[in-house]
Amino acid sequence: MNGTPRLRSAYPSTPQKAYEQNGAEAPASLPRVPLPTLSARQQDPQAPLIPFNLIDGPQQRLYVAFFYLGLTVWRLCDYYGLVSDETDSLWLFMKWVAIDSIFLYGLPGLKIPWLQWSSTSITMLFVGHAIFDAVLMFRIPIPLETWLIAFTRMFYDREIAVSERRVKPANVLHNASLILGKQIIHILPEGSATLNPDQTSFCIDSFTTSVNLPIQLNQTNPILIELLRVDLDTNLNETMTIHAKEIRRLKKLAQKQPLGRDAAAPRYLQYPVKQTGLYRLQRVVDESKLEVQRRLSDTLVVHCPSAHMRPVAEAKCIGDLSNFYLQVDATPPINIKYSKLVNGQESGHAVLSIPPKSPMSPLATQRSSGALVTRESVANVDVSWARSQSTGISLNESLGVSGSWQYSIDEVQDGCGNVVNYANHRLADTQKRHSSTNAAPLEQRFSVHERPRIALRGCDSQHPLRVPKGKSVRLPIQLSSTGRDIAEHGTHQISYLFTPSVEVLPNQEHGKVAVLEEFKLEPHAAGHEVYEPGLYTLQSVESAHCAGEVLEPSACLLSNPPEPTLSIETQVIPDRCAGNSVGLLVDLDLTGTPPFRVEYTERRRGGPVTPQVVETHLLHTQLELRPAHSGHYRYEFQHISDAIYQEPRSLRDERLNLEQDVKPPASARFLDAYPARKTCIGEPVSLGIQLLGDAPWKLEYELVHHGRRQKRKIDRIENNIYTLTTDELNSGGEYSLALTAVTDKSGCKVSLEQETKIEVALQRPKAAFGLIEGQRTISALEDKKVKLPLRLQGESPWTVQYQNLGQAGESPVTKIFKNANDEIEVKEAGTYEIVHVDDATCPGNVDAAANRFSVEWIPRPSVHVSESAAIELQQDRYVKKGICEGDEDAVDLTFTGTPPFDVEYSHHVKPERGSQSTSTKKFTAGINLASVRMETTEAGSHQYKISKLSDLSYNHNPRKFSPVVIEQRVHSTPMATFSDGGKTYKYCKEEEAGGENVPISLKGSPPFHLEVEIRHHSSSKPELVTIPNIGSHQYNLHIPHRLLALGTHAVRIRKVRDVHGCQRRMEQGAPHVQVNVAEVPGITAQESRIDYCVGDRISYTLSGLPPFNVFYTFQGQERKASVSTTNFRRLAEKPGEFTITAVTDQRSVDCKAHTSITKVIHEMPSVRVSKGRTATVDIHEGGEAEILFEFGGAPPFEFTYTRSSNPPRGKKPQVLDTKSDISYEHTKSILASDEGIYEVVSIKDRFCAFSTQRIQGKSGQKLLT
């Protein structure tokens, strides 16, 4: 904390220990140490009385400040008691002198830093406190108000003017606008003339056919000007003369310019020329026929610089050179600036410099003066260095990025400084120069294209293309470019080398008969179509603009594989029992390119043709032809295809046909053996069986249950589909049904292995309702879900149908249950009955003794209002009889339900005035009866809406409860108040007729009955005035004059009653009004004079009881001024008539003392020199200038003016001469020939005078008498 930087304005830092005072660095943190002993304190006399480790220095100073503040508050409290209780002043003075001495002389003993003052300082503080104690305790008056006013006037000095606004007197007394203007006379020096003093560059071209050469004229009026021109092409010179007529025309044009309006500024004549050349001012003659001094200065007018591009081919390829030319025509040395854009992005600027061919060109060096030719005479001078030079510049740059390239000429500058800017094409001049179609180009654009690349995709010498004979294929050509994966859009010219397959060398190279062929590849083409087998090698590729390169793989071998073939061999499959053929085993031998697809047809005699397909990846495979039914079968192999020859090849010419007679052995199988069949106890089971062979069949099967096996036979089965039906299965459990053997017409018995399972339920399902608390009846809350217990027997899941007997006409509800002790969830009251039950397998039975369950709802709570003579039901709400504000009232409520009852109601108040409000209240009723207190503290319409009701069983449900609304009107207690409470109504003693009405505001329902009390200040008995039947809310009380006497009366309202009988009695301290009858005031002027000047103060003396209201007119406008003292004074701010018309005081506000005291305020005289402006007049030596004075005010005018020196900047002028003059008119002119500043210092007219000089410390403004 001690190292914290402090501002210079901050408090000084707390003094530290000795090592800090000696300049040693303090440690980062000081450890806490125990309190020093007494001996230790005696050893360090500078240590504080209270150690810093207990209370640090700033806190000790803060406690001392708080203690001193407490002493000050105590001192002021004693002063207040002295003023109010007349306590002994001497004793209090001695008391505080003693306390201050103890405090001030004891403070250094604490040795607190910053509070260890010297004895002299403490003595001075003690003397100051003693003087302050004497002033307070002896109540010595101090003119603080006078001091404060004098101090305030130093910063804020304002007075009330005749226009009743506060103005600053200094602004009125020292009005600088009364004397305005001054005239400065200069004696001109000798004149001079200069051609092109700013060394501006000029150029001429086909668009700018002429330029204006500036000729500067300083303090001269020429009548003849001669210019010398040297032709740049021939070096010949000519003299151009400007006569007086032309000079006058050029002067008029110069005066129209802003600088030409200033007479003291040099004039610039703009002389037009249309030819190039070197111009020099040769001679200037003024009005005195003498030559004017001229500065040696040359001006070049050359051809404007220009530049353009030489057009070249716009299509380029990556890696090419730009190779274009810039053509520049200008006077050297030349600077040309051009920019480059690549794909719309700025890629930099470049500046080229072209030096002059002649080393003697003055444009190549920096000029120290305006002369280009040093000789006074320019005869036979060589100015060829100023001629325009045509130069071509070659620009070569490698184009390394594809896209749009643009070179633009931005700017060209010649040696004279003429600049042509081509960058801003929006300039009108540039558009004019280059809008024509024949204009030379300023830009060179290139379209840089990518070079194409070509390769083969998916084909090379190791992976040839295989194509069927006679078919074509497209070479898989892949095009790209040097900068991207895809090629540019457009046609490409491609060449390749071809060698037929019979001529290809063993090393996969081209033979001697290789042929070079070309083709054009159009955009989006898949490749080039080729037919002949052989070796194809890409040689070159070209786009529309660029030649490309060939990438690897570039060679592709095209071959025609052999067509697929098929040969077959067959072998008969015999039956072991009957010896008949049951099928064929066919061997298929294939040639070609796998995979193969063989198509053949199968046809049974008398039956349809069935197509068949065989697909294989092998060159040899077997096909087994074993039909399921007996008969004569024919097989025809029709088509074959492979991977290359995908179009099927016909085999009909090879006659690959097979025939066989088949008699398959007998067989039988279950149509639906899986899953296991489930059935109910006591019911048979039917199963479908398919038989194969020749009818009739004999079928053998067996039924196995609990280890017992029953064998059965079925003879003479004629159909191949047979339905097997078992006997009734009266024993529950699992059964196995197996087919053991079958015999067909051939007599061959075939053993079978066909088996299926049958599961028989042990008993039928059963359903019943369970018990809740020993019975099948339940009482529940309304709309609550009730779960009825179920008792189910059988195999899950169960399908149960039940219905509510109270809902007649509705179909039973069907639900599926998976738990034997499941529950039915219901929402409606009534008696529920189980109608039917099924389990997973069988229909079941319903227990008739437990098939019904009753559900009942507990009744909901409700509330009712007891009707009586004071409350009645109107439509959907209760309306209670109206009551006065503040009276007691209540309403009785009756509840039904289960107590206790929780009631919530809203109280909505629509007051007679103010905004509406709504409050919510709650209460609990322990029994079925309750009383609600009505709110009558606020008048208006009250509505009580019971919106929520709940009891022990039910929470509030807005859909089941209808709100109860109770309305009552609370009539407001009438109120009567004085519209201007506390106001004093003043009556004139002389004006007994009439009187002022006292307005009273009434609130409530009219008509009103009012009682008013009038009490005189000198009488203890009041007078009562009763006013009945007041039909409005405003009443003007007319106080009878018989009840008023000279002095003050107090008027008070005692009570008021309205039409509803509601009455209000006013309290004793309620607001009241006073009526005062007084005398009229008076006013007199302090000075007898009538004429005043602006800035004077007009004073009056008032008689009466302050404050006063003074009524007066000024400048035709009536005004009113409030005066708190008996002196009325106003500052004359503006000229006009000031007339006092009336005056009132505190006792007679409405009784005006009419008068007519008129004062005339005259305007201050004013003077304007040179129309009130600072005018500068230049004259030659011996000439004269006119000074015009314009006066304002009442003539005659006496004025004093001075002539001061023209000082340099930063110095004050000195008065050289002072003169006085008089004018009987409002204008006066004098002639002056001396140089200096002429200005007026004082002015006086018939009534007033004003001076800018101060005499004896007072203003020079006064009234003339």
Side-chain angles (χ1 to χ4, degrees), residues 106-264:
L107 184 60
L110 298 177
K111 297 182 181 180
I112 300 174
W114 302 353
L115 299 181
Q116 301 181 32
W117 301 316
S118 64
S119 300
T120 303
S121 300
I122 294 176
T123 303
M124 293 177 63
L125 288 174
F126 172 72
V127 171
H129 280 70
I131 295 174
F132 181 65
D133 293 338
V135 171
L136 288 180
M137 301 311 163
F138 293 107
R139 292 182 289 176
I140 299 174
I142 299 176
L144 294 178
E145 182 178 358
T146 304
W147 295 350
L148 182 60
I149 292 175
F151 180 76
T152 305
R153 285 185 177 273
M154 296 174 60
F155 303 97
Y156 183 82
D157 186 12
R158 296 291 188 272
E159 289 188 24
I160 301 178
V162 292
S163 59
E164 287 304 315
R165 66 186 185 96
R166 291 188 174 273
V167 297
K168 191 173 183 181
N171 295 338
V172 180
L173 297 174
H174 311 295
N175 188 357
S177 63
L178 296 177
I179 300 177
L180 293 178
K182 57 185 176 180
Q183 185 158 321
I184 303 174
I185 297 178
H186 286 291
I187 296 178
L188 296 175
E190 293 295 331
S192 63
T194 307
L195 175 65
N196 191 15
D198 297 330
Q199 298 298 316
T200 306
S201 59
F202 300 96
C203 67
I204 295 176
D205 58 8
S206 58
F207 296 97
T208 305
T209 58
S210 66
V211 294
N212 294 326
L213 298 182
I215 302 174
Q216 184 190 55
L217 302 177
N218 187 18
Q219 305 297 333
T220 184
N221 190 15
I223 60 174
L224 178 67
I225 300 176
E226 290 183 357
L227 290 177
L228 183 66
R229 185 184 77 87
V230 180
D231 190 87
L232 301 181
D233 297 326
T234 62
N235 291 333
L236 298 179
N237 58 73
E238 64 172 334
T239 301
M240 305 172 65
T241 303
I242 307 175
H243 297 285
K245 183 177 179 180
E246 180 68 13
I247 293 174
R248 286 194 298 269
R249 187 184 67 83
L250 296 178
K251 285 182 178 180
K252 291 181 181 180
L253 295 177
Q255 290 176 355
K256 296 180 180 180
Q257 303 298 324
L259 294 178
R261 299 171 185 172
D262 189 358

Side-chain angles (χ1 to χ4, degrees), residues 1155-1197:
T1155 184
S1156 178
I1157 305 175
T1158 301
K1159 305 292 183 181
V1160 180
I1161 303 174
H1162 297 281
E1163 184 179 6
M1164 295 297 297
S1166 62
V1167 61
R1168 303 288 186 269
V1169 181
S1170 299
K1171 302 295 184 180
R1173 295 174 296 178
T1174 300
T1176 302
V1177 178
D1178 297 326
I1179 63 174
H1180 291 281
E1181 187 72 29
E1184 291 181 339
E1186 181 184 17
I1187 303 176
L1188 176 63
F1189 298 91
E1190 297 175 316
F1191 305 99
F1197 301 97

Side-chain angles (χ1 to χ4, degrees), residues 78 87-97 137-138:
D78 285 351
T87 311
D88 188 5
S89 300
L90 179 60
W91 184 87
L92 290 177
F93 171 71
M94 299 299 296
K95 165 188 170 182
W96 281 108
V97 168
M137 301 311 163
F138 293 107

Side-chain angles (χ1 to χ4, degrees), residues 985-999 1036-1042 1044 1075-1077 1150-1151:
Y985 294 87
K986 299 178 181 179
Y987 286 77
C988 301
K989 182 178 180 181
E990 290 79 4
E991 298 180 4
E992 296 183 357
E996 191 174 6
N997 292 329
V998 180
N1036 291 324
L1037 174 63
H1038 178 71
I1039 302 176
H1041 192 267
R1042 58 183 177 82
L1044 298 176
V1075 176
N1076 186 20
V1077 181
D1150 297 328
C1151 300

Side-chain angles (χ1 to χ4, degrees), residues 55 58-68:
I55 303 175
Q59 289 184 345
Q60 293 187 30
R61 290 192 293 273
L62 181 62
Y63 294 155
V64 170
F66 284 157
F67 182 75
Y68 181 76

Side-chain angles (χ1 to χ4, degrees), residues 6 200 319 350 390 473 478 503 519 524 677 686 804 833 850 859 923 982 1025 1032:
R6 296 179 178 268
T200 306
S390 181
V473 68
Q478 181 179 9
E503 300 295 337
F519 67 92
H524 307 295
R677 184 67 60 85
S686 297
N804 189 345
E833 181 184 32
F923 70 90
V1025 178
S1032 64

Side-chain angles (χ1 to χ4, degrees), residues 578-715:
N580 298 326
S581 174
V582 296
L584 289 176
L585 190 62
V586 182
D587 292 331
L588 303 180
D589 294 323
L590 303 165
T591 60
T593 305
F596 300 95
R597 178 184 174 90
V598 180
E599 300 177 4
Y600 69 96
T601 60
E602 179 186 40
R603 182 178 182 181
R604 182 183 179 187
R605 182 177 294 171
V609 177
T610 304
Q612 303 289 342
V613 176
V614 177
E615 293 182 353
T616 180
H617 290 267
L618 304 176
L619 298 177
H620 177 79
T621 185
Q622 284 189 339
L623 175 64
E624 183 176 318
L625 303 175
R626 181 182 295 204
H629 302 280
S630 61
H632 179 77
Y633 291 85
R634 177 181 176 82
Y635 303 92
E636 295 182 2
F637 291 89
Q638 295 184 342
H639 300 92
I640 184 173
S641 61
D642 62 0
I644 304 301
Y645 297 88
Q646 296 182 1
E647 184 177 352
R649 174 175 169 270
S650 178
L651 298 175
R652 294 180 180 178
D653 296 339
E654 301 182 13
R655 298 183 180 277
L656 300 178
N657 301 328
L658 299 176
E659 294 185 4
Q660 69 171 339
D661 291 323
V662 177
K663 290 185 178 180
S667 178
R669 67 182 184 86
F670 289 108
L671 293 178
D672 49 356
Y674 300 100
R677 184 67 60 85
K678 295 182 179 181
T679 186
C680 299
I681 190 170
E683 294 182 358
V685 177
S686 297
L687 298 171
I689 298 175
Q690 182 182 19
L691 301 169
L692 301 177
D694 295 331
W697 291 275
K698 180 172 69 175
L699 181 63
E700 299 179 7
Y701 70 93
E702 60 184 9
L703 187 63
V704 181
H705 177 61
H706 289 173
R708 293 181 297 174
R709 190 182 303 273
Q710 298 178 5
K711 294 185 178 182
R712 300 284 192 274
K713 290 182 180 181
I714 303 175
D715 297 329

Side-chain angles (χ1 to χ4, degrees), residues 496-500 510-517:
Y496 63 89
L497 196 64
F498 170 68
T499 299
H510 288 279
K512 297 181 179 180
V513 296
V515 180
L516 181 65
E517 298 185 2

